Amino acid sequence: MSSQLLEILNGVKTMSIVGMCKNAGKTTMLNWMLHHDRLRGTLGLTSIGRDGESTDVVTGTEKPGIFVREGTLIATARDMLRLGDVTTEILATTGIPTPLGEVVILRARSAGNVQLAGPSITSQLREVSYGQGLNMREIGQKLGADKSIIDGALGRKSLGARAVAEGVVLCTGASYHMSMEKVVADTANIYRIMNLQKAETLPPEAEEGLGKCLKEHGEALAPGALTDSMVVPLLRSGVLRGGRLVVKDPSKVLLSADTLDKLVTREVALETEEAARTLCITVNPVSAYGWKFDKDEFLHRMREAVDVPVINVKEELA
């Protein structure tokens, strides 16, 4: 599995790691990717939120640190520099403020542990990753980063937007819920949303209402989020049947699995203007809160629910 996974991960220039919950194994996966030469070339690393601390500031549980190799490029808040043990060289400032200081771009001049606290909102993350000012693409061109990794915060489906990253590593685990069935179902639903088909053409934007636009054109570009309360009445009225709905990115889809199924039944094409592809899903069968799943059953059920590689971070990432 590791060789197949590495081939997939090395096939993208930018990726985000998104956790379904705290303690899903996100940092374990990140450290596995950062180790030695698994990912080819010089790496760029940033975060949305905070990571790398030894104890989770929300749950109080122990966490693995983030270990980087020499030469790694890092975008993090200035106050985080004193909490790591790597020798650093500041290469540039971004002008992006955070509660922990301005985000700066640095190079690790030695291997060691770092703490990350990057841009707190997606628009700022785009500036660091893909925007007009200093960004991770420019870092690749000017400073030598061949691949960029964004360590994602809880619940940020916006990290599945193509404007932020080409690929997504989705991490899930027993800490999400005591019911394995719910963990698998909810993870599969997020995976489904993150992998909506990319729209080849854009329909008219539904500025005067989704229903009106669908009636007139048979398709619509949703101006904001899609919710069950918006879509279900349109399904019941027959307006949504055989048409096409397009959203900006996966973060705009707030639909339940049941509503998504109904769209399929009514032959409604749900597409996205921009979306990254899910590269793999990692599972952690051990909860930080005292329970655990049968590891083989959890892995089997998750693999049945999705069509990308699924890895047990506790055993398969040796």
Side-chain angles (χ1 to χ4, degrees):
M1 175 63 76
S2 292
S3 58
Q4 178 192 4
L5 178 58
L6 284 175
E7 184 177 351
I8 293 170
L9 296 176
N10 276 301
V12 296
K13 295 290 186 182
T14 55
M15 72 181 80
S16 58
I17 306 177
V18 180
M20 286 286 293
C21 59
K22 292 281 189 179
N23 302 291
K26 188 160 56 69
T27 306
T28 300
M29 180 62 180
L30 175 62
N31 277 328
W32 181 82
M33 290 193 294
L34 294 175
H35 183 69
H36 295 312
D37 57 354
R38 288 189 171 118
L39 296 184
R40 294 187 290 269
T42 300
L43 303 181
L45 180 62
T46 191
S47 173
I48 184 165
R50 182 176 177 182
D51 210 346
E53 65 273 30
S54 59
T55 303
D56 192 289
V57 295
V58 176
T59 65
T61 52
E62 291 186 4
K63 294 181 59 178
I66 296 174
F67 189 86
V68 299
R69 63 198 189 210
E70 182 180 357
T72 302
L73 298 170
I74 302 161
T76 190
R78 192 179 289 273
D79 288 358
M80 294 294 96
L81 302 186
R82 60 184 174 82
L83 300 177
D85 59 10
V86 299
T87 302
T88 61
E89 174 192 2
I90 295 180
L91 302 177
T93 58
T94 66
I96 298 174
T98 78
L100 296 167
E102 180 186 9
V103 175
V104 297
I105 309 294
L106 60 92
R107 189 189 306 275
R109 286 301 184 184
S110 65
N113 291 297
V114 298
Q115 290 199 27
L116 300 176
S120 58
I121 60 176
T122 307
S123 61
Q124 292 177 335
L125 186 64
R126 283 196 182 102
E127 291 182 40
V128 177
S129 299
Y130 271 103
Q132 297 302 313
L134 179 68
N135 53 58
M136 295 306 269
R137 179 176 287 173
E138 288 183 354
I139 290 173
Q141 294 172 347
K142 296 180 179 179
L143 305 179
D146 302 298
K147 190 179 302 294
S148 297
I149 305 172
I150 301 160
D151 186 34
L154 179 66
R156 295 304 297 266
K157 281 190 296 180
S158 54
L159 293 175
R162 177 86 178 182
V164 174
E166 294 175 66
V168 176
V169 174
L170 181 60
C171 303
T172 190
S175 293
Y176 179 77
H177 197 274
M178 293 182 71
S179 166
M180 184 192 299
E181 182 177 2
K182 180 171 177 59
V183 175
V184 172
D186 287 2
T187 303
N189 193 49
I190 293 297
Y191 165 76
R192 185 178 180 183
I193 290 170
M194 282 186 163
N195 287 272
L196 292 173
Q197 182 175 331
K198 179 175 174 59
E200 295 298 327
T201 60
L202 294 182
E205 186 168 351
E207 296 179 352
E208 298 181 7
L210 202 56
K212 182 179 179 180
C213 191
L214 288 166
K215 285 180 181 179
E216 293 180 355
H217 305 284
E219 57 182 3
L221 174 62
L226 281 182
T227 64
D228 283 1
S229 62
M230 293 170 57
V231 172
V232 171
L234 296 174
L235 286 167
R236 289 173 177 166
S237 69
V239 172
L240 263 179
R241 183 181 293 274
R244 186 168 73 114
L245 271 175
V246 179
V247 295
K248 180 68 176 176
D249 63 63
S251 69
K252 302 298 188 292
V253 181
L254 307 178
L255 302 177
S256 65
D258 181 61
T259 300
L260 288 170
D261 289 339
K262 288 176 180 176
L263 290 175
V264 173
T265 300
R266 299 291 179 88
E267 298 182 334
V268 177
L270 181 59
E271 302 173 353
T272 180
E273 183 178 349
E274 54 179 44
R277 66 185 179 94
T278 302
L279 305 172
C280 68
I281 291 176
T282 74
V283 297
N284 181 0
V286 180
S287 166
Y289 310 108
W291 63 84
K292 62 182 178 179
F293 296 156
D294 179 278
K295 61 181 182 178
D296 295 326
E297 181 185 0
F298 188 27
L299 193 63
H300 174 71
R301 291 177 66 174
M302 197 71 251
R303 283 176 173 168
E304 283 194 325
V306 299
D307 55 6
V308 292
V310 180
I311 302 100
N312 180 343
V313 294
K314 287 291 186 179
E315 293 189 350
E316 296 183 66
L317 298 183

